[in-house]
Every structure is written in structure tokens, then in C-alpha cells.
Amino acid sequence: MSNSVEDETTVNDSYSVTVPASVRSEADLEAGDRLRWRVDEDGDLHVEVVKRRRGAFSELDPVELDEETNAAEDHDTVAGEY
């Protein structure tokens, strides 16, 4: 991060929080990213950004196979064990 950003938010009745816009911007948070929460032995709360961007596979080229596949039937198939 280039700057130090501090902001606060309120925990609502369902224990959800909104990440303030200033924090989202500085941490480069986007929809699909995850937050990993940790409380250390002193009771301090730490939050880590885990990048999980949507469309992560959108730039991959399709693979041509010599046979037809069916994801619904083949999803548990291990390569080489047909």
C-alpha cells in the first residue's frame, strides 16, 4: 500500500460489515476477493486480503480433444483413468 488509510465501520445486527470505500481503494479490493480474519493471542484483529478475481480463467485458450466430454459425468474422472 502506498498510503496509510484508517477508517471505521459498524457491525450490524447480522454481524456483517461494509468495507469503507477508502480501504477498498487502497487495498485494491474487488468483488470476488475474500477477507481472511485472524485474532492473535493478544486479542488483536488482523484482516488479510485473499485475491479471488472473477474471470481468472477468461484469458485461457480452449483445449481441443479428440473425444467429446461431458462435465456433468466426467467431473470426478482422474486424468488417465477413464
Side-chain angles (χ1 to χ4, degrees), residues 47-58:
V47 180
E48 176 186 354
V49 176
V50 179
K51 297 292 184 186
R52 301 252 175 134
R53 300 292 166 98
R54 292 181 178 165
F57 298 104
S58 63

Side-chain angles (χ1 to χ4, degrees), residues 7-66:
D7 208 333
E8 64 182 50
T9 189
T10 301
V11 178
N12 67 24
D13 291 338
S14 65
Y15 298 96
S16 297
V17 296
T18 299
V19 180
S22 60
V23 174
R24 289 193 314 264
S25 176
E26 187 63 24
D28 191 30
L29 282 174
E30 292 186 4
D33 289 345
R34 299 175 63 103
L35 299 177
R36 180 174 294 135
W37 304 82
R38 181 176 61 85
V39 178
D40 66 19
E41 59 277 352
D42 295 326
D44 294 329
L45 176 65
H46 303 269
V47 180
E48 176 186 354
V49 176
V50 179
K51 297 292 184 186
R52 301 252 175 134
R53 300 292 166 98
R54 292 181 178 165
F57 298 104
S58 63
E59 295 181 17
L60 294 178
D61 293 327
V63 176
E64 295 295 330
L65 299 175
D66 294 333

